[in-house]
Amino acid sequence: FIPYSIEVAQDYPGVADEMSTLLNQGFVDLLAKKTCVGSGSGEPTGIFTTLANQTNSPSHITVTTVGTLGAVDVRKAWMTLPERYRPRATWVYSPSVDGTIRAFANAASGLALADFTVDLTKNGVDVLMGRPVVVTDYAPQFTGTTGAANIAVIGDFSNFLVVQRAGM
């Protein structure tokens, strides 16, 4: 609810539309954050939160070198994903994970350009292992920690539903 006077509406005829746009963007941002890292207590349970609570394999991939993300780890995550989910799979991770993966080819660490393709001069969709990538600030950042951390998700989101009840 945003109160405003009749005078404001007369001086700025588009104020209601502007406020509607502002509230809508706030809702979209909140929904994006909660579907990534929501606690599940009075809010949605985010995908990264859900996976942090999973203890069974193959939900988690342990990196080859502690504190480092390498091309071999990306391939290991891809190969662990069951075959039936690969044709519709999507990667989800933060800009810091994206930057780390982009640096693989620069470091000649074994990630061929065919694995990660994007023309940095164009607005395109990043593709990793032939599947689209969603980069979001709401996913956990890659910090190089030596402890356990969920930093990327690969999976088929076609049955991932966001259900909301009607508001007032």
Side-chain angles (χ1 to χ4, degrees):
F1 176 72
I2 301 174
Y4 61 93
S5 67
I6 293 173
E7 290 82 9
V8 169
Q10 290 173 338
D11 291 344
Y12 182 24
V15 70
D17 291 335
E18 194 70 32
M19 294 303 109
S20 175
T21 300
L22 178 72
L23 289 173
N24 186 49
Q25 188 57 52
F27 173 75
V28 168
D29 286 345
L30 182 63
L31 185 62
K33 180 178 183 180
K34 298 306 179 185
T35 56
C36 278
V37 294
S39 69
S41 178
E43 62 186 17
T45 303
I47 187 72
F48 287 94
T49 306
T50 299
L51 291 175
N53 295 327
Q54 297 293 319
T55 56
N56 61 328
S57 184
S59 295
H60 296 101
I61 302 302
T62 303
V63 294
T64 304
T65 304
V66 175
T68 305
L69 179 63
V72 65
D73 304 317
V74 172
R75 288 192 181 108
K76 192 186 319 181
W78 176 252
M79 296 308 291
T80 303
L81 183 67
E83 182 179 3
R84 68 181 176 271
Y85 299 119
R86 289 185 199 149
R88 292 179 305 277
T90 300
W91 294 86
V92 179
Y93 48 69
S94 70
S96 65
V97 173
D98 189 54
T100 302
I101 291 172
R102 287 174 185 261
F104 291 165
N106 295 343
S109 63
L111 184 69
L113 293 177
D115 289 338
F116 187 75
T117 54
V118 63
D119 183 348
L120 297 177
T121 64
K122 303 207 184 303
N123 288 334
V125 176
D126 292 349
V127 176
L128 180 60
M129 304 300 285
R131 300 308 310 148
V133 174
V134 173
V135 178
T136 175
D137 288 336
Y138 299 117
Q141 300 294 311
F142 177 66
T143 61
T145 181
T146 56
N150 291 313
I151 58 169
V153 172
I154 174 71
D156 177 3
F157 290 92
S158 64
N159 290 317
F160 186 82
L161 303 175
V162 176
V163 180
Q164 58 189 36
R165 62 181 184 175
M168 301 242 335

